[in-house]
């Protein structure tokens, strides 16, 4: 059997495929071939089991188009891609399909793989979905600033990271709203469930700090060390990530205060402890606190509102889709700068 779905034009009325998207070889666990009946003009549903899948889309139409691809729980898989009238563009990416579909403690979601096609003028010409053979994964452990947020206007940076990756590199986002290092380790739906999923060669990014408001320094440090050791025991490569800043300005336009820079009520400087553990354990560090501080201060009190949900919710912690996309770009840049991912697998 074949896993293959073809679309031609925005109205999906013709079934002929471009020779650039020929059918993929059969796979043993494919229950049945996937066809045009799995798609509408703006969405597709593929009845596949949990796993990792390569998706190739051919975009374009007789008129100029601009198409953005999202999937599963509001993950951006392909940024808006413009194609001139009469032209076509082929793009590929790799998608993680799992249960629960979004946050680990949230609802299971819809079984299978769901893709949606938006943008200012979406036009999908053809699509192919096949099981990914040797995709490398980036697993994410984090809180609400990282997770796959279920509803607008919220978005975590992990939800926007997939759009920066090409086929062969996927994101498995196991971040969960409200979690601290303490709760992530204690909840059986979180660390105990994620740790067995780690495979040799996986990158595992850990950003937990926002909710460690009552965690003392010794416990916080020990919890980070437990996560690092557990990832390494499974053959994964841990990467520690300092937390994104809160948009909390001083009168002089700086963020040099405890609220913004994640110093908790006990005086624990979370970013400083993360940096210390990374150095002591010889773990790669992405200093997202420093990067986001620099960015937010450069924008200033007014322009930086767009990164967060200040205008919508008076929220200076959680990010908008725009802000999450910008912050995910910072993570992408750091992954490349530290040679943690191949340049050919990343969109720049």
């Amino acid at each position: 059997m074949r896993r293959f779905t073809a679309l031609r034009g925005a109205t999906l009325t013709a079934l002929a495929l471009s020779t650039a998207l020929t059918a993929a070889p059969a796979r043993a666990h494919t229950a049945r071939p996937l066809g045009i009946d799995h798609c509408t003009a703006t969405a597709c549903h593929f009845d596949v089991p949990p796993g990792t899948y390569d998706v190739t889309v051919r975009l374009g139409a007789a008129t100029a188009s601009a198409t953005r691809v999202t999937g599963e729980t509001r993950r951006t898989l392909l940024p808006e891609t413009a194609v001139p009238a009469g032209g076509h563009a082929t793009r590929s990416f790799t998608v993680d399909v799992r249960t629960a579909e979004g946050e680990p403690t949230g609802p299971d979601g819809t079984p299978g793989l769901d893709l949606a096609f938006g943008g200012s003028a979406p036009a999908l010409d053809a699509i192919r979905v096949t099981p990914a053979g040797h995709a490398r994964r980036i697993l994410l452990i984090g809180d609400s600033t990282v997770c796959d947020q279920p509803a607008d206007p919220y978005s975590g940076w992990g939800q926007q990271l997939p759009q920066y990756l090409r086929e062969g590199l996927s994101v498995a986002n196991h971040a969960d709203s409200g979690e601290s290092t303490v709760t992530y380790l204690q909840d059986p739906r979180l660390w105990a469930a994620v740790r067995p999923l780690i495979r040799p060669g996986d990158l595992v990014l850990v950003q937990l700090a926002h909710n460690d408001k009552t965690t003392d320094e010794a416990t916080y440090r020990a919890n980070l060390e437990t996560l690092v050791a557990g990832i390494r025991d499974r053959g994964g490569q841990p990467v520690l990530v300092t937390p994104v800043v809160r948009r909390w300005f001083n009168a002089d336009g700086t963020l040099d205060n405890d609220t913004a820079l994640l110093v908790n009520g006990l005086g624990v400087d979370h970013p400083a402890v993360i940096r210390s553990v990374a150095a002591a354990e010889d773990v790669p560090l992405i200093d997202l606190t420093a990067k986001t501080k620099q960015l937010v201060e450069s924008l200033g009190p007014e322009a930086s509102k767009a990164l967060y949900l200040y205008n919508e919710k008076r929220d200076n912690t959680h990010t908008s889709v725009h802000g999450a996309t910008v912050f995910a770009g910072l993570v992408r840049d750091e992954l490349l700068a530290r040679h943690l991912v191949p340049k050919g697998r990343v969109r720049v």
Side-chain angles (χ1 to χ4, degrees):
M1 292 185 177
R2 300 178 299 165
R3 175 170 285 110
F4 191 80
T5 301
L7 299 96
R8 175 67 69 183
T11 60
L12 310 181
T13 55
L15 305 183
L17 276 175
S18 163
T19 56
L21 292 175
T22 55
R27 296 296 177 106
H29 67 268
T30 302
R32 58 189 174 88
L34 302 179
I36 194 70
D37 56 317
H38 293 278
C39 298
T40 68
T42 57
C44 294
H45 172 74
F46 303 97
D47 186 15
V48 296
T52 308
Y53 295 88
D54 291 332
V55 178
T56 298
V57 293
R58 179 176 158 99
L59 309 174
T63 57
S65 63
T67 308
R68 177 174 178 260
V69 183
T70 58
E72 299 297 271
T73 304
R74 302 177 60 239
R75 304 177 211 160
T76 302
L77 303 170
L78 187 70
E80 186 161 318
T81 302
V83 181
H88 292 92
T90 300
R91 299 288 186 271
S92 298
F93 49 86
T94 300
V95 186
D96 174 65
V97 177
R98 63 181 182 273
T99 304
E101 182 178 292
E103 296 178 88
T105 64
D108 285 352
T110 305
L113 170 61
D114 288 282
L115 301 175
F117 304 91
S120 57
L124 178 65
D125 183 65
I127 186 168
R128 181 180 69 200
V129 176
T130 58
H134 302 285
R136 190 182 185 194
R137 298 185 304 169
I138 301 175
L139 279 72
L140 304 180
I141 291 172
D143 53 34
S144 58
T145 65
V146 184
C147 75
D148 287 350
Q149 289 281 359
D152 282 327
Y154 294 87
S155 182
W157 63 255
Q159 199 164 21
Q160 301 302 324
L161 186 60
Q163 66 185 291
Y164 293 112
L165 308 179
R166 301 180 189 274
E167 182 181 309
L169 188 60
S170 70
V171 174
N173 192 349
H174 296 278
D176 197 73
S177 292
E179 306 302 341
S180 65
T181 58
V182 175
T183 60
Y184 205 95
L185 287 168
Q186 289 178 342
D187 193 323
R189 296 169 295 179
L190 298 171
W191 179 235
V194 174
R195 185 175 179 273
L197 301 177
I198 300 171
R199 301 188 303 232
D202 284 343
L203 281 181
V204 185
L205 276 58
V206 178
Q207 186 216 279
L208 287 167
H210 278 272
N211 300 301
D212 280 279
K213 298 174 183 177
T214 59
T215 309
D216 63 80
E217 182 170 341
T219 301
Y220 186 66
R221 180 180 295 272
N223 289 345
L224 292 175
E225 291 169 347
T226 296
L227 291 166
V228 167
I231 293 164
R232 283 177 166 163
D233 286 347
R234 294 290 301 172
Q237 181 176 5
V239 179
L240 293 179
V241 183
T242 61
V244 299
V245 296
R246 295 189 178 100
R247 185 191 160 277
W248 200 273
F249 284 91
N250 292 320
D252 64 0
T254 68
L255 296 177
D256 291 320
N257 57 76
D258 290 353
T259 300
L261 300 184
L262 286 299
V263 178
N264 74 8
L266 301 179
V268 180
D269 185 332
H270 291 108
V273 176
I274 295 169
R275 295 177 191 119
S276 175
V277 172
E281 298 292 327
D282 193 25
V283 174
L285 173 74
I286 294 178
D287 198 341
L288 201 52
T289 303
K291 292 292 182 180
T292 53
K293 178 179 185 293
Q294 180 182 31
L295 174 62
V296 171
E297 286 183 342
S298 71
L299 291 173
E302 189 59 35
S304 63
K305 290 177 180 177
L307 297 173
Y308 295 85
L309 295 175
Y310 180 85
N311 293 325
E312 299 87 348
K313 302 285 186 178
R314 293 298 187 268
D315 188 332
N316 291 308
T317 298
H318 297 97
T319 48
S320 63
V321 170
H322 168 66
T325 301
V326 172
F327 290 172
L330 297 177
V331 174
R332 180 270 319 269
D333 293 346
E334 291 297 294
L335 290 172
L336 282 172
R338 280 153 182 71
H339 306 289
L340 294 170
V341 295
K343 187 175 181 180
R345 299 294 188 190
V346 178
R347 292 188 175 90
V348 294

